[in-house]
Amino acid sequence: MRRGKESRRLMEDAQVLAVAGKYNKSPAQVLIRWALERGTSCLPKSANEGRIAANFQVLDWQLDPADTTTLSNLKHRERMVTGIMWLDARGPYKSVSELWNDEKEQAVGS
């Protein structure tokens, strides 16, 4: 997983945009709906009142199974929370790999 300037924005992905257009929804709404249908935690962030309201307009529709598959198969992967803040030499998590089994080793103080 990657994060930073080299990471392309998921909401600009052509497949996400196509699915959003099909439902006449924003890319953010489609991604929030997809996360909810997967049972994944989703923490939308916005300070814009209109976008906050739009983020709640995802409960009265569903994605077609084909669209769910399309979104699930996107190559883009990005973890917004790395978990570094939970690492402590005295605590239960001393490295990122103890939190996430798909991350490279990063120990306390790295």
Side-chain angles (χ1 to χ4, degrees):
M1 296 204 188
R2 55 191 176 163
R3 180 86 170 115
K5 291 180 182 178
E6 73 280 356
S7 177
R8 65 187 173 94
R9 292 180 42 95
L10 188 56
M11 290 197 297
E12 296 171 355
D13 184 276
Q15 292 175 299
V16 173
L17 293 171
V19 172
K22 176 180 175 181
Y23 294 92
N24 197 29
K25 302 290 183 184
S26 72
Q29 288 173 311
V30 166
L31 293 169
I32 292 167
R33 182 68 218 178
W34 172 68
L36 293 174
E37 289 184 17
R38 292 181 61 222
T40 305
S41 297
C42 181
L43 303 170
K45 177 197 139 314
S46 182
N48 179 289
E49 209 171 298
R51 284 193 296 264
I52 292 169
N55 288 344
F56 282 103
Q57 297 171 354
V58 298
L59 303 175
D60 60 348
W61 57 281
Q62 292 182 330
L63 293 166
D64 291 336
D67 295 324
T68 298
T69 299
T70 295
L71 295 172
S72 294
N73 289 331
L74 292 174
K75 300 295 181 213
H76 180 80
R77 299 283 186 253
E78 183 173 336
R79 178 170 282 130
M80 302 304 287
V81 177
T82 64
I84 292 172
M85 71 285 267
W86 295 309
L87 303 182
D88 189 306
R90 297 165 293 158
Y93 305 112
K94 296 171 182 51
S95 69
V96 171
S97 65
E98 292 177 2
L99 286 171
W100 321 112
N101 61 7
D102 63 343
E103 295 291 326
K104 293 180 180 169
E105 186 69 23
Q106 184 171 359
V108 177
S110 303

